[in-house]
Amino acid sequence: MTGPPKRVSSRRGVKPSRSATRSEAARGDRPAGLAARQYGPVHAHGEYDVECDTGAADPRACALRIKEALACPPRPSAFTRLRRRHLPDGV
């Protein structure tokens, strides 16, 4: 890797991966299809400091990507950008 990303964009409109569907079924404590129904609302904000595709990268690669991002976090953070967008009065 060449270093942490300054900003990683969201993948809006992408359906949950097969791995999310498999994990949901394996847990057995969630209704079938919950991951698919929640994906849009959960990711609609589209602001991330780092994103890992756990369907394409192994756990070590994801951990390293997160570690690198923590060492040099983007400024402003995703939470700050969201707060500015949705709470312009600085609440």
Side-chain angles (χ1 to χ4, degrees), residues 36-79:
R37 287 192 305 276
Q38 290 182 337
Y39 188 86
V42 167
H43 295 283
H45 58 80
E47 293 280 349
Y48 301 96
D49 290 335
V50 64
E51 184 176 352
C52 294
D53 185 346
T54 58
D58 66 22
R60 179 171 167 66
C62 289
L64 289 173
R65 184 169 179 91
I66 294 166
K67 180 181 177 184
E68 290 173 351
L70 288 172
C72 184
R75 298 284 182 233
S77 71
F79 285 124

Side-chain angles (χ1 to χ4, degrees), residues 2-86:
T2 61
K6 294 298 178 194
R7 179 176 174 180
V8 180
S9 62
S10 74
R11 297 174 303 169
R12 294 179 200 215
V14 176
K15 293 183 180 178
S17 69
R18 285 186 224 126
S19 63
T21 303
R22 283 193 302 271
S23 295
E24 177 182 78
R27 279 193 292 267
D29 63 348
R30 291 177 174 82
L34 183 62
R37 287 192 305 276
Q38 290 182 337
Y39 188 86
V42 167
H43 295 283
H45 58 80
E47 293 280 349
Y48 301 96
D49 290 335
V50 64
E51 184 176 352
C52 294
D53 185 346
T54 58
D58 66 22
R60 179 171 167 66
C62 289
L64 289 173
R65 184 169 179 91
I66 294 166
K67 180 181 177 184
E68 290 173 351
L70 288 172
C72 184
R75 298 284 182 233
S77 71
F79 285 124
T80 298
R81 294 188 307 267
L82 287 166
R83 188 171 42 253
R84 288 176 182 164
R85 184 187 325 156
H86 297 286

